[in-house]
Amino acid sequence: MFKLKSRKALIATTIAAAIVAGSSTALAGITTPASTLNSNLKVAYNYAWLGDATSQYNCLAYALGNYSSWVWPWGSSNPTSSQVDTYLYNKGYKYGQGMDSQNVAFYEIISYGTSSSIGHFGRFADTVNGTTYSNAKWGQLELLQHQGWSPYTSNGVYGDAYRKYAKQ
């Protein structure tokens, strides 16, 4: 799909420029209104476009490296964190204790929500000059990169980062 390592400087620059400029006009490819994206972010314009809006795949599929199908094994419900732990364990990932920023390079997948309702997933992208970046597919919306690994408001659609997972 894309090569993050070759684009990380461009992406970091795009995020920084968008935050400073306060405008989504610097972000090519985004069709979702900035107000929709910003209403769910702790910091407005903390996003850079990585992929077009599509219903081809969703956040969990992306987190698992699948760009061709929608993956949500819990039907129309959001799973509990325990259900997510079991599902991801069966996919080769283990829940990591503590949500601190240490050793983020060790982790791959991030779940967002609460213990009773996980509604979103993302991936750690990279750490550049001490700044961590995460990527997430916003449902049927765009694939975006964010500065930080917990970019969403706690009262928004996705919520705060809840757990992180590493390969077993």
Side-chain angles (χ1 to χ4, degrees):
M1 172 144 212
F2 59 88
K3 299 284 187 203
L4 179 62
K5 293 200 184 286
S6 65
R7 294 183 49 174
K8 70 181 162 188
L10 173 62
I11 292 166
T13 302
T14 303
I15 289 174
I19 290 170
V20 171
S23 169
S24 63
T25 58
L27 305 170
I30 294 179
T31 57
T32 301
S35 59
T36 299
L37 300 173
N38 289 331
S39 67
N40 289 292
L41 295 170
K42 291 176 183 172
V43 176
Y45 299 100
N46 178 11
Y47 54 86
W49 175 88
L50 296 177
D52 289 334
T54 178
S55 60
Q56 184 79 26
Y57 65 100
N58 64 339
C59 62
L60 180 56
Y62 171 76
L64 293 169
N66 177 345
Y67 307 101
S68 62
S69 62
W70 196 273
V71 177
W72 199 261
W74 308 282
S76 61
S77 300
N78 283 351
T80 65
S81 61
S82 178
Q83 290 172 312
V84 169
D85 291 349
T86 300
Y87 177 80
L88 289 177
Y89 183 84
N90 290 331
K91 295 289 185 184
Y93 293 90
K94 183 178 180 184
Y95 160 55
Q97 297 291 328
M99 289 301 290
D100 62 13
S101 61
Q102 295 178 8
N103 298 319
V104 292
F106 175 75
Y107 297 102
E108 294 186 26
I109 296 176
I110 312 157
S111 67
Y112 297 90
T114 65
S115 64
S116 61
S117 180
I118 300 296
H120 187 56
F121 296 89
R123 289 192 67 86
F124 285 101
D126 206 350
T127 300
V128 180
N129 297 325
T131 300
T132 299
Y133 294 90
S134 59
N135 300 341
K137 175 70 168 63
W138 284 41
Q140 293 185 28
L141 303 180
E142 289 83 2
L143 173 60
L144 301 174
Q145 182 165 85
H146 306 286
Q147 188 173 344
W149 52 273
S150 188
Y152 311 112
T153 60
S154 56
N155 59 350
V157 174
Y158 296 142
D160 286 321
Y162 188 74
R163 288 195 172 158
K164 53 190 175 184
Y165 298 84
K167 275 288 202 188
Q168 295 183 46

